[in-house]
Amino acid sequence: MVEMAARMLQAAAAFPVRRGSVEPGRAGVLVCERNPQLATIIVYRGRRADASARLKARYGLALPDGPRRLVNGGSTVTGVGPRTWLFQRETGPPLETELSEVLGDAAAVTDQSDGYATIRLTGPCSAGVLEKGISIDLHDRVFLPGFAAATSCAHLGIILWRLEDANGHPVYEIAVFRSLARSLWHFIEQNAAEFGLAAMAEC
């Protein structure tokens, strides 16, 4: 089962899962690759209210203040920088075209679906792995569900956001430039070894 999941991840090529996997029941860290549609939204100066209203009317999502992540149905918007947000959804028509039509002259939209690779970490030791390479505080009382950060992990620029599973346990997702995905995977693989790492088709 673990070998099959590892082969599925390796076929996706962004994160080359190879060795070191254990059975999920013995793993402190579970990892799977994600492949959502992604697009950056850069709002033109003085047009934030317009852009936020247009997104709210179409997707039920206003632009969040600061590094926060808002979700409505299958759509998500995350603050990643000054006047910049990352829009995400699982499926649908080409995202860049649709968002450009929705936002019109209020913002510039750029497709990032092929530019970023996205990976999810869960399990009781997932924060422990990330804390070896990330300088922000991931404590449960500090980095809450819905929080996000444009930061670095092992000197690699990443976008990190926190979710939680059905039992309220932390789940982390990381978006990294696709050209750096193998380096990020090397960090995860090396630093999760002490906890036991399971590669999954879904997690």
Side-chain angles (χ1 to χ4, degrees):
M1 176 178 169
V2 172
E3 290 180 0
M4 182 179 296
R7 284 198 299 271
M8 291 176 70
L9 272 178
Q10 191 167 16
F15 296 98
V17 177
R18 300 184 298 276
R19 60 189 179 277
S21 292
V22 299
E23 292 294 334
R26 297 169 48 218
V29 181
L30 297 94
V31 61
C32 61
E33 187 167 1
R34 305 271 292 116
N35 291 290
Q37 293 189 73
L38 297 170
T40 52
I41 298 170
I42 301 178
V43 175
Y44 298 132
R45 193 175 302 276
R47 302 299 303 276
R48 176 172 174 170
D50 292 341
S52 191
R54 294 176 189 183
L55 280 178
K56 182 78 171 178
R58 179 62 178 269
Y59 302 106
L61 288 170
L63 294 173
D65 293 324
R68 298 291 185 271
R69 181 176 184 271
L70 299 179
V71 182
N72 186 36
S75 299
T76 302
V77 63
T78 304
V80 296
R83 295 189 289 118
T84 305
W85 290 263
L86 184 68
F87 195 94
Q88 173 183 339
R89 73 176 178 198
E90 298 304 312
T91 59
L95 188 54
E96 181 180 15
T97 301
E98 183 177 294
L99 279 175
S100 295
E101 292 174 353
V102 170
L103 293 168
D105 60 357
V109 178
T110 304
D111 182 75
Q112 299 290 355
S113 301
D114 294 327
Y116 282 104
T118 307
I119 196 166
R120 174 179 288 180
L121 278 74
T122 186
C125 300
S126 54
V129 172
L130 294 176
E131 286 169 345
K132 294 182 181 184
I134 293 176
S135 60
I136 63 175
D137 189 348
L138 298 180
H139 193 280
D140 280 348
R141 293 195 299 269
V142 177
F143 197 69
L144 304 173
F147 279 30
T151 184
S152 63
C153 179
H155 307 292
L156 305 170
I158 65 167
I159 302 171
L160 169 72
W161 56 89
R162 181 182 161 179
L163 308 88
E164 60 182 11
D165 65 19
N167 297 313
H169 299 140
V171 176
Y172 302 96
E173 288 190 352
I174 302 171
V176 64
F177 286 129
R178 190 166 291 271
S179 61
L180 301 176
R182 289 173 178 258
S183 297
L184 179 62
W185 172 253
H186 179 74
F187 165 83
I188 293 171
E189 185 179 46
Q190 294 296 311
N191 288 282
E194 66 174 292
F195 306 117
L197 176 66
M200 311 287 290
E202 296 181 1
C203 61

